[in-house]
């Protein structure tokens, strides 16, 4: 009896030793990173990210404990929209002029397309983005047009010293330069709109966003204004999301109706010479998170619009993001007028309401739209964007003046949409919405998910 007990004790001892050895062997490759109430499962691969000489290990960015890839709900891919009501809804009528596609290597599956829009006078800002974003970039370029009084003559660019032909040739040269020198794979579409008065027919901001979205071919897209630059590879250690496992994790999160928030910064000295600010911003995104955190701690940068409109990016909680040293995404709750830049699943991203033109309210309404569609928000632990300084636009000045006087139609539109979202009956108005799409458009509210 004693002999059997001794043998059992020895067996238990051997088993415990084997378990301990197993934990020691596995622990370097699987660890839990806990930040507050958020738990991230991070897998450390057994291969080096660049070469055996660097000793760097590839880390996956993770939020969910479930490592499976969240698939699209194919039945939910029809994006809701509503055609403009005659005599009530005014939306831009854009006309295609020309496009330039990239001849660089084919777009990899593990890619994120940056979507932006601009007027011709902001091509230098597009250059900033292309020089820093090493992936596909779709840019909608807009020109306001007027009809010539002469028969069979070409359209005339509104209040411009350049002809449409000169603008087209100039963009063609710009695109060729970006193909040679830029990091991005640039796809430009030039569109125009016939107008009578720029004040009455402002910049068609959301119509341009929708066209850019339709041109994207990757599963993930980053919505970013042209006066911002973003960290290449979203600031992740090499090879970043080019690693299929890393990309699949990001895609799984986005397919689960999560918007990945990219924190936005600006230079605290708004009067810095534009060329100096431009180079400083570009260097910060190329140097990554450590560089921008040091600049933030030194007071050289702050989160975007921290003093003028803190509600716009304040909920991102830059202080918490700056403290993160582990690949942990944290959840944030939506607050009114929140307007971050977000990474989305292209197939789940809704259309933007094309009644928004000019300056103001459009991004706030779009984020509110995501909330109504039951999207959640997670802050990316490495990625960030930074505003490139420039002179304030006339459109921005007009919006602020009208808002102070209580006569802003755009602000009223935003408020009306917010009420419609709360009621659960909002559908974005788009010029390209077909009757079939409109019939199938059923706005999905939170209550329908519960």
């Amino acid at each position: 009896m004693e002999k059997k007990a001794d043998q059992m004790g020895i067996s238990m001892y051997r088993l415990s030793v084997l378990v301990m050895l197993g934990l020691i062997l596995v622990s370097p490759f699987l660890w839990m990173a806990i930040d507050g109430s958020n738990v991230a499962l991070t897998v450390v691969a057994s291969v080096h990210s660049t070469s055996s000489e660097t000793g760097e290990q590839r880390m996956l960015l993770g939020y969910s404990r479930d490592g499976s890839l969240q698939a699209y709900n194919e039945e939910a891919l029809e994006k809701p929209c509503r055609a403009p009501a005659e005599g009530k809804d005014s939306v831009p009528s854009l006309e295609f002029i020309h496009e330039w596609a990239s001849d660089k290597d084919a777009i990899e599956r593990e890619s994120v397309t940056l979507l932006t829009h601009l007027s011709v006078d902001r091509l230098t800002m597009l250059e900033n983005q292309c020089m820093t974003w090493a992936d596909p970039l779709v840019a909608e370029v807009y020109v306001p047009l007027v009809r010539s009084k002469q028969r069979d003559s070409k359209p005339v660019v509104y209040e411009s010293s350049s002809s449409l032909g000169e603008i087209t040739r100039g963009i063609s040269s710009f695109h060729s330069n970006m193909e040679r020198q830029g990091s991005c794979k640039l796809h430009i579409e030039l569109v125009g709109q016939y107008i009578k008065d720029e004040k009455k027919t402002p910049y068609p901001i959301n119509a341009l966003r929708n066209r850019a979205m339709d041109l994207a071919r990757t599963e993930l897209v980053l919505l970013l204004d042209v006066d911002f630059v973003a960290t290449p590879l979203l600031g992740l250690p090499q090879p970043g999301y080019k690693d299929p496992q890393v990309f699949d994790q990001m895609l799984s999160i986005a397919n689960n109706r999560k918007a990945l928030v990219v924190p936005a910064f600006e230079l605290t000295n708004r009067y810095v010479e534009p060329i100096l600010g431009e180079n400083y911003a570009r260097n910060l995104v190329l140097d990554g998170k450590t560089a921008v955190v040091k600049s933030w701690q030194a007071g050289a940068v702050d989160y975007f619009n921290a003093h003028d409109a803190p509600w716009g990016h304040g909920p991102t909680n830059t202080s918490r993001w700056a403290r993160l040293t582990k690949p942990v995404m944290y959840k944030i709750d939506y607050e009114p007028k929140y307007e971050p830049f977000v990474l989305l699943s292209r197939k789940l991203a809704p259309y933007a309401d094309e009644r928004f033109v000019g300056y103001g309210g459009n991004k706030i309404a779009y984020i509110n739209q995501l909330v109504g569609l039951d999207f959640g928000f997670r802050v990316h632990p490495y990625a960030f964007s930074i505003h490139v300084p420039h002179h304030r636009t006339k459109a921005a000045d007009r919006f602020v003046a009208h808002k102070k006087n209580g006569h802003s139609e755009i602000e009223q539109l935003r408020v009306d949409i917010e009420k419609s979202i709360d009621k659960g009956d909002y559908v974005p108005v788009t010029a390209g919405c077909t009757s079939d799409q409109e019939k199938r458009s059923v706005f999905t509210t939170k209550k329908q998910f519960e």
Side-chain angles (χ1 to χ4, degrees):
M1 193 74 178
E2 291 178 1
K3 187 175 181 180
K4 287 184 178 181
D6 290 341
Q7 290 176 340
M8 183 176 293
I10 292 171
S11 297
M12 290 298 294
Y13 173 75
R14 287 175 177 172
L15 179 61
S16 63
V17 170
L18 288 173
V19 170
M20 290 299 295
L21 285 173
L23 289 172
I24 291 171
L25 290 171
V26 171
S27 60
F29 306 113
L30 185 65
W31 54 275
M32 299 292 289
I34 303 176
D35 180 62
S37 60
N38 302 283
V39 179
L41 180 63
T42 308
V43 179
V44 183
S46 60
V47 295
H48 296 301
S49 62
T50 52
S51 68
S52 58
E53 297 177 0
T54 65
E56 296 178 357
Q57 289 184 312
R58 185 180 306 161
M59 294 188 297
L60 297 188
L61 170 67
Y63 179 78
S64 171
R65 295 188 187 190
D66 181 10
S68 62
L69 179 62
Q70 177 74 28
Y72 291 121
N73 177 1
E74 295 294 340
E75 296 179 357
L77 294 185
E78 188 67 56
K79 297 184 181 183
C81 63
R82 176 171 68 80
E86 189 173 351
K88 181 181 178 182
D89 297 323
S90 177
V91 297
S93 179
L94 300 180
E95 297 196 19
F96 171 84
I97 298 173
H98 200 84
E99 72 176 338
W100 297 262
S102 177
D103 288 330
K104 293 183 179 179
D105 295 338
I107 296 174
E108 304 164 326
R109 174 184 174 271
E110 293 80 19
S111 298
V112 176
T113 300
L114 190 157
L115 306 180
T116 195
H117 54 87
L118 63 149
S119 50
V120 175
D121 58 328
R122 291 194 166 188
L123 279 177
T124 54
M125 295 183 182
L126 180 58
E127 179 180 350
N128 290 330
Q129 288 189 337
C130 190
M131 297 298 285
T132 53
W133 186 253
D135 234 349
L137 194 163
V138 174
E140 288 288 330
V141 182
Y142 169 74
V143 289
L145 304 171
V146 293
R147 300 185 186 278
S148 175
K149 295 179 181 179
Q150 299 177 356
R151 289 185 178 181
D152 300 327
S153 60
K154 294 182 179 180
V156 176
V157 181
Y158 181 79
E159 290 189 348
S160 174
S161 58
S162 301
S163 68
L164 185 57
E166 289 170 333
I167 288 174
T168 304
R169 288 193 295 272
I171 295 176
S172 183
S173 296
F174 172 83
H175 185 266
S176 295
N177 288 334
M178 290 301 96
E179 285 286 276
R180 290 192 297 267
Q181 302 172 16
S183 299
C184 76
K185 298 175 181 178
L186 183 59
H187 187 154
I188 298 177
E189 183 181 57
L190 177 64
V191 295
Q193 178 181 209
Y194 287 102
I195 69 171
K196 293 182 179 179
D197 186 338
E198 191 176 20
K199 292 181 181 178
K200 295 180 181 178
T201 316
Y203 183 79
I205 187 165
N206 274 356
L208 295 173
R209 283 178 174 145
N210 287 341
R211 289 184 74 103
M213 184 74 75
D214 287 341
L215 285 177
R217 293 294 175 264
T218 58
E219 295 180 278
L220 293 174
V221 291
L222 171 61
L223 282 58
L224 194 67
D225 291 344
V226 76
D227 51 349
F228 283 77
V229 287
T231 43
L233 292 178
L234 299 175
L236 290 162
Q238 288 283 354
Y241 58 73
K242 294 300 179 180
D243 181 321
Q245 292 180 335
V246 178
F247 183 83
D248 283 349
Q249 272 191 324
M250 289 173 51
L251 183 60
S252 180
I253 295 164
N255 284 350
N256 198 31
R257 290 185 181 269
K258 298 296 184 291
L260 301 186
V261 174
V262 175
F265 291 86
E266 68 177 355
L267 305 187
T268 51
N269 180 7
R270 296 185 177 182
Y271 303 103
V272 66
E273 289 294 329
I275 188 66
L276 300 178
E278 174 184 303
N279 281 283
Y280 187 46
R282 280 165 55 163
N283 286 340
L284 281 179
V285 295
L286 291 174
D287 290 342
K289 180 174 181 175
T290 301
V292 80
V293 169
K294 287 182 179 178
S295 294
W296 177 70
Q297 292 171 338
V301 301
D302 202 350
Y303 73 85
F304 185 65
N305 268 346
H307 299 289
D308 295 343
W311 53 82
H313 294 267
T316 301
N317 195 346
T318 304
S319 298
R320 183 176 183 180
W321 180 85
R323 292 195 305 269
L324 279 180
T325 57
K326 296 178 180 179
V328 180
M329 288 186 292
Y330 57 92
K331 175 184 176 182
I332 52 174
D333 295 325
Y334 170 78
E335 295 182 24
K337 296 187 177 181
Y338 187 39
E339 52 175 345
F341 296 115
V342 291
L343 180 82
L344 297 171
S345 160
R346 176 176 59 86
K347 294 182 180 180
L348 296 182
Y351 285 125
D353 198 307
E354 295 181 4
R355 289 175 294 176
F356 280 99
V357 292
Y359 180 90
N362 50 80
K363 195 139 50 57
I364 294 175
Y366 190 77
I367 296 300
N368 199 357
Q369 188 179 343
L370 292 179
V371 174
L373 285 166
D374 200 39
F375 276 75
F377 298 91
R378 304 288 185 268
V379 180
H380 195 287
Y382 294 112
F384 68 91
S385 63
I386 186 162
H387 182 251
V388 177
H390 61 84
H391 298 297
R392 192 179 178 92
T393 63
K394 293 180 181 178
D397 291 335
R398 282 198 297 268
F399 173 79
V400 173
H402 290 165
K403 189 174 180 181
K404 286 182 179 178
N405 295 330
H407 301 304
S408 174
E409 294 180 3
I410 290 297
E411 177 62 14
Q412 186 58 52
L413 173 62
R414 185 194 66 77
V415 172
D416 291 343
I417 286 176
E418 187 176 295
K419 292 177 181 177
S420 182
I421 290 173
D422 289 341
K423 286 165 49 180
D425 60 3
Y426 171 70
V427 177
V429 177
T430 66
C433 189
T434 65
S435 57
D436 288 340
Q437 283 178 305
E438 192 167 357
K439 288 177 183 177
R440 293 194 295 268
S441 290
V442 178
F443 188 78
T444 309
T445 64
K446 282 187 177 181
K447 292 181 180 179
Q448 291 172 299
F449 276 90
E450 292 173 351

